[in-house]
Amino acid sequence: MSTPTPFKDPKEDLFGIGNFISNYSSNIYEAHRVARIINEFRSINIQATEYVGPNGNVYIRLSEYAGVRAYLNGTRYLINNPRILYMGVGTQGMNNISVGATRFAIVFSAAYRVVELIFKSEYTLVDFL
């Protein structure tokens, strides 16, 4: 017969939550961008199309009415426009988001594992590596 443990170390609960956050830190980091895209494009049938302009520059063309959008209030943007890169529209925007999320995940996970190494009693350098 197993009996439940009446006392559980709160530090273990805290590290359990930290492990979850560490594993999904890049997703959590990018959640605000996804929320902004949903807010910007909700209930509107907007399509973003990449095309090469007459001068050889690559542009993003946004369909539908520009006046109803709050952040991307134009109809045509260069592919390297900071607003387009921030929103993650187009190939360079997706690459920019991927690189930023990867950097954040690596730094956050390394910092969390150092804290875990310092404060956890049964955590060794082998576990850290």
Side-chain angles (χ1 to χ4, degrees):
M1 211 190 227
S2 66
T3 58
T5 309
F7 177 72
K8 192 173 181 185
D9 189 16
K11 188 167 54 171
E12 293 301 320
D13 290 337
L14 184 64
F15 281 122
I17 294 169
N19 281 333
F20 176 80
I21 292 173
S22 176
N23 291 337
Y24 297 103
S25 61
S26 62
N27 296 345
I28 295 167
Y29 176 73
E30 292 302 325
H32 68 91
R33 289 188 191 188
V34 172
R36 177 166 263 190
I37 289 171
I38 290 171
N39 187 33
E40 186 76 15
F41 295 152
R42 70 170 180 237
S43 73
I44 306 170
N45 189 17
I46 295 178
Q47 294 180 350
T49 309
E50 283 188 26
Y51 72 98
V52 179
N55 54 3
N57 292 335
V58 180
Y59 291 94
I60 298 284
R61 179 184 294 139
L62 300 174
S63 66
E64 295 298 323
Y65 303 107
V68 296
R69 297 190 298 263
Y71 188 71
L72 295 174
N73 50 9
T75 56
R76 185 177 76 160
Y77 290 93
L78 273 172
I79 193 89
N80 59 0
N81 187 303
R83 287 184 175 200
I84 291 293
L85 293 176
Y86 178 77
M87 293 290 280
V89 178
T91 54
Q92 283 188 348
M94 287 187 279
N95 291 342
N96 185 31
I97 285 179
S98 299
V99 168
T102 302
R103 283 184 193 148
F104 179 79
I106 290 170
V107 170
F108 182 83
S109 293
Y112 174 72
R113 298 300 173 199
V114 166
V115 168
E116 202 171 31
L117 179 64
I118 293 170
F119 291 110
K120 221 172 182 182
S121 60
E122 295 178 8
Y123 195 77
T124 63
L125 190 59
V126 174
D127 295 328
F128 175 75
L129 295 176

